[in-house]
Amino acid sequence: MVMSNLRTRLPPLGSLAAFEAACRHLSFTRAAIELNLTQAAISRQIRALEAHLGTRLFERRRHDVVLTTEGLRFAADVNPALAVIGDATVSLKSGYVEEVTIFTEMCLAAHCLMPRLSRFQASNSNVSLRILTSNKSLEAETEQFDVGLSYGFSRSPVFQSEPIAVDKIIAVCSPAVRRTLPERCSARHLAQSNLISFEQRDTDWMGWAQFLAAFKARPQGSSRLIFNTYNSAIDAAIEGYGVALGWGHVVAKPLRDGRLVEIKGFEVPSPDPLCVHTRTDRPKRAALQSFASWMRSEVLDAAG
């Protein structure tokens, strides 16, 4: 029943392609060149379309054509629909690849996202990922992106934040540094160690003072390293320069491969969950939902 209705309602489909090309070029001759037809054939198809609609779509001039009021209205409705049909056809015929730009903090890109990306690409071959790493906050980043991955909820109405995992904060260091500390390391021993700190503008990451306060201690070591990127702080810990604070999902890989070890007995809940942020000012796309679902499952598998 639907197909029968469409057959009676739709004009000759070939004439729609001629109409769309003529709209863009405002020339039957250039439309004919694009479609590999003669100018006379384009003219016949436009006349057939006008006869079907019962109205003129173009005003013919000596060297070009212009759309009539009815032609402009018809083009505004029909041409976007033709573009959608064309995109769907290309998608099926040639394996159309959709690009998604992901904003993430540098530490999450290096330690949480990159080790997992091959698995996403293996199951989402039609999605091309563009990774935008920054030390800026989600709201301060000026470059355009589709989805974000960071700790904490966004304060901007432009983003919808979905918590995908809670996290913990632990004390981590290289195996060599761990051997210099007592086997049963106390809060006092930890407070007197070489503490590696991370301080970044416009962020509210937990520091050593807040962490040690949970164990009724405060930093006392005279030798400290302070970095403005979390990646550098973790790299310094791996190289044996001292003890750093590790967010569980970020340091999971260096803990597994033995580059870092956890100093047992020191753990506090992260005040902020790990969140995926999708934009509210853009249409929802299947690729974005696929990434959010995949990231959630990856984090849950790691926690399990």
Side-chain angles (χ1 to χ4, degrees), residues 125-184:
S125 58
N126 65 323
V127 179
S128 174
L129 295 181
R130 177 173 173 263
I131 312 301
L132 171 63
T133 60
S134 176
N135 284 331
K136 297 179 182 177
S137 65
L138 191 78
E139 297 83 4
E141 179 55 52
T142 56
E143 189 167 343
Q144 292 296 305
F145 58 92
D146 302 303
V147 61
L149 178 67
S150 68
Y151 281 98
F153 293 88
S154 173
R155 298 180 297 275
S156 170
V158 174
F159 302 103
Q160 179 179 344
S161 301
E162 178 194 358
I164 60 173
V166 295
D167 209 347
K168 62 182 180 180
I169 304 173
I170 57 179
V172 296
C173 62
S174 70
V177 169
R178 182 63 186 90
R179 288 192 291 270
T180 67
L181 298 171
E183 183 176 349
R184 298 187 64 178

Side-chain angles (χ1 to χ4, degrees), residues 8-12 15-16 19 45-58 60 68-71 73-74:
T8 59
R9 293 163 57 197
L10 288 177
S15 67
L16 292 179
F19 172 74
Q45 289 186 353
I46 297 298
R47 284 200 301 269
L49 180 60
E50 291 175 328
H52 181 88
L53 297 172
T55 188
R56 291 182 66 191
L57 299 173
F58 292 96
R60 279 73 167 173
T68 64
T69 301
E70 292 80 8
R73 188 175 67 182
F74 190 63

Side-chain angles (χ1 to χ4, degrees), residues 5-272:
N5 285 340
L6 283 176
R7 278 197 295 269
T8 59
R9 293 163 57 197
L10 288 177
L13 296 182
S15 67
L16 292 179
F19 172 74
E20 189 276 338
C23 285
R24 283 188 287 106
H25 294 293
L26 293 178
S27 166
F28 289 175
T29 300
R30 289 193 292 272
I33 294 172
E34 177 182 308
L35 298 178
N36 197 26
L37 297 172
T38 65
Q39 190 271 346
I42 293 291
S43 185
R44 284 195 301 271
Q45 289 186 353
I46 297 298
R47 284 200 301 269
L49 180 60
E50 291 175 328
H52 181 88
L53 297 172
T55 188
R56 291 182 66 191
L57 299 173
F58 292 96
E59 291 182 7
R60 279 73 167 173
R61 296 181 176 178
R62 183 176 179 85
H63 297 295
D64 59 9
V65 295
V66 295
L67 286 158
T68 64
T69 301
E70 292 80 8
L72 287 169
R73 188 175 67 182
F74 190 63
D77 291 333
V78 170
N79 289 355
L82 292 175
V84 171
I85 295 171
D87 289 344
T89 304
V90 171
S91 174
L92 288 177
K93 289 179 64 177
S94 60
Y96 171 74
V97 176
E98 182 176 3
E99 183 177 277
V100 173
T101 300
I102 302 168
F103 166 89
T104 183
E105 295 159 341
M106 289 183 176
C107 61
L108 287 171
H111 299 285
C112 191
L113 191 57
M114 294 301 294
R116 296 176 164 94
L117 277 185
S118 61
R119 291 195 287 274
F120 179 84
Q121 292 176 313
S123 57
N124 296 271
S125 58
N126 65 323
V127 179
S128 174
L129 295 181
R130 177 173 173 263
I131 312 301
L132 171 63
T133 60
S134 176
N135 284 331
K136 297 179 182 177
S137 65
L138 191 78
E139 297 83 4
E141 179 55 52
T142 56
E143 189 167 343
Q144 292 296 305
F145 58 92
D146 302 303
V147 61
L149 178 67
S150 68
Y151 281 98
F153 293 88
S154 173
R155 298 180 297 275
S156 170
V158 174
F159 302 103
Q160 179 179 344
S161 301
E162 178 194 358
I164 60 173
V166 295
D167 209 347
K168 62 182 180 180
I169 304 173
I170 57 179
V172 296
C173 62
S174 70
V177 169
R178 182 63 186 90
R179 288 192 291 270
T180 67
L181 298 171
E183 183 176 349
R184 298 187 64 178
C185 186
S186 67
R188 180 175 59 84
H189 292 131
L190 183 60
Q192 294 174 345
S193 302
N194 294 335
L195 302 179
I196 300 171
S197 298
F198 161 62
E199 296 177 358
Q200 184 174 303
R201 186 179 302 174
D202 299 326
T203 63
D204 191 28
W205 291 58
M206 180 179 289
W208 276 110
Q210 187 179 356
F211 180 84
L212 286 171
F215 306 97
K216 297 180 171 54
R218 60 182 181 178
Q220 297 176 15
S222 59
S223 176
R224 300 182 65 200
L225 284 174
I226 303 174
F227 294 93
N228 70 338
T229 66
Y230 188 71
N231 272 0
S232 298
I234 292 301
D235 288 343
I238 290 172
E239 293 298 322
Y241 287 100
V243 184
L245 293 177
W247 274 251
H249 293 300
V250 178
V251 297
K253 189 174 187 298
L255 285 173
R256 282 197 305 270
D257 61 29
R259 288 177 294 157
L260 289 177
V261 294
E262 177 184 354
I263 302 175
K264 300 294 185 179
F266 301 98
E267 177 183 316
V268 298
S270 171
D272 298 308

